[in-house]
Amino acid sequence: LAPAARKPCDKPVRMDVVEEKIRVLAARGSTWLVAFSLLEPTAQIEIFCLTSFAVCLLGSLGSFPLAANLAVALLGLICCRSGSDAQCFGYVLFAGMTTVTDIAFLCGEGTTWGVLLTLTNLLPKLCAASHCFRICSLLGGGGLSYADDPLSAGLAGQDYHHVATAGGGAAGEVGATTSYSAL
């Protein structure tokens, strides 16, 4: 017996369902972009460097300039945690240098997988470099200033004095002992 001929799907795709799914995905995407834009610059740098790190790990499966790009991603993760201007400057410098080596790789021996991941890695690496450039005071950026945030403001001298006297008054006089009773 001959196998039965396959019939094309009789059920047409409902475009209203597809449009609704696209609308939901677009709404979620815009929500994520707004939430990302509200993060501190160091958190954004960390996300970009983690993305670059993940792309580097995927690039290790083929021909990809792994060592330099992975080192730059790790430097970015360190610099966003420490907040050091020297490390931010170093990240911007090394991201620029590895971008030049990535372009040389693209012009030379790149495979399809390596070229795809090299181009994919350029986006998070250069976005993190632009954020580091923005916060690095050595490069003319504003530095990490929390002056506008009242919750992260430091205590003034009189605040320290008030806290010290309030805490000291609760404990009693210097040299006073606490009496304990047996259980």
Side-chain angles (χ1 to χ4, degrees):
L1 291 174
R6 297 185 97 184
K7 294 181 182 179
C9 184
D10 294 336
K11 214 178 198 186
V13 177
R14 294 185 50 198
M15 291 309 290
D16 57 337
V17 173
V18 173
E19 288 175 2
E20 181 62 28
K21 296 289 183 184
I22 291 173
R23 195 173 302 119
V24 167
L25 285 175
R28 286 183 184 171
S30 65
T31 302
W32 290 341
L33 285 175
V34 168
F36 182 78
S37 68
L38 295 175
L39 291 174
E40 292 181 0
T42 54
Q44 292 176 350
I45 293 169
E46 185 174 12
I47 289 172
F48 285 132
C49 289
L50 285 172
T51 304
S52 178
F53 189 85
V55 170
C56 287
L57 291 180
L58 285 174
S60 69
L61 300 174
S63 176
F64 178 76
L66 177 68
N69 284 309
L70 195 59
V72 168
L74 289 174
L75 177 62
L77 288 172
I78 292 170
C79 101
C80 72
R81 286 295 177 185
S82 71
S84 167
D85 276 344
Q87 287 178 349
C88 285
F89 176 75
Y91 181 81
V92 172
L93 179 72
F94 292 134
M97 290 171 57
T98 57
T99 300
V100 171
T101 61
D102 287 345
I103 292 171
F105 171 78
L106 291 173
C107 294
E109 65 212 48
T111 63
T112 304
W113 180 252
V115 167
L116 177 69
L117 289 179
T118 301
L119 291 174
T120 304
N121 191 41
L122 284 176
L123 180 68
K125 179 171 59 173
L126 294 178
C127 287
S130 69
H131 278 67
C132 279
F133 184 84
R134 188 170 51 128
I135 65 172
C136 181
S137 61
L138 293 175
L139 297 170
L144 290 174
S145 173
Y146 298 108
D148 298 335
D149 187 5
L151 298 176
S152 65
L155 294 175
Q158 61 269 28
D159 294 331
Y160 284 112
H161 178 69
H162 177 71
V163 169
T165 56
E173 294 297 318
V174 175
T177 59
T178 304
S179 59
Y180 296 100
S181 61
L183 292 175

